[in-house]
Amino acid sequence: MTGPAPVGRVEQYLAEALGTGPVHFTLIDPDKSPDEKAAHIARGAVNLGSQLILLGGSTGISREVMGEAAKAVKAAVHVPVVIFPEGPGSLAPGADAVLFMSLLNSRNLDLVIRAHAAAAPIVRSMALEPIPMGYLVIAPGMRVGEVGQVDPVAREDLRSATGFALAAQYLGMRFVYLEAGSGAPAPVPAPMVRAVRGAVGIPVIVGGGIRSGDDARTLLDAGAQILVTGTITEEEGFGDGFRGILEEVRRDRGL
Ligand code: 1GP
């Protein structure tokens, strides 16, 4: 095959969804919420308007656990199920796609590109759709900042965030993810989201520490196109926080 990677079905689905407004992803950690529990979270989230299920965590999820979760979630919901991997070991068949992501500000070359060389043939053999993405960890970074051996971008360093995001775009990555870290005390700052959105043409994903409708509103107003939440559903289920976030996303979709 020559030329750039073809746009796959999940990416096509996202392009269509993003054409009509912002999008919400629900992140489920299959180690904390295995198979049927994952399916239960996915069902509830999709019923409230979440448009894609991410499966991942930063603690070494086995292929088996990931595969079981992917199967259970696929059977429960009609939206794409996408692996958010921490390495080749957590890839499993049964999902629709994988965020094929470079951890842009890691000091460990494995996480920037070398693990990808090991993962790529596995992705191909499992027929997972690779979604090329730049992953940028913003302070505090939490656990992914530690295990990812990251030099986190300081929260006020808009120039650095913008530079990384634009570099991701120029390298051909089709999404950029600004990550404050799962469970972060506050999401990525709005001025940073605004600066990155203003600089790049690829969709801007924002996650980490989003816990309320107010958080979501601030980020959406700053230009975030995709919001990712994980902790809130794992800790609080489908309470006011999660509902509030989805309400704000739906509002901007005119729903
Ligand atoms: C983590 O950005 C995601 O990768 C979600 O973060 O768990 O804080 O919602 P939370």
Side-chain angles (χ1 to χ4, degrees), residues 27 84 135 177 179 181-184 206-210 228-232:
L27 173 65
F84 186 20
Y135 189 43
Y177 189 145
E179 169 73 90
S182 186
V206 181
I210 303 171
V228 183
T229 66
T231 303
I232 190 149

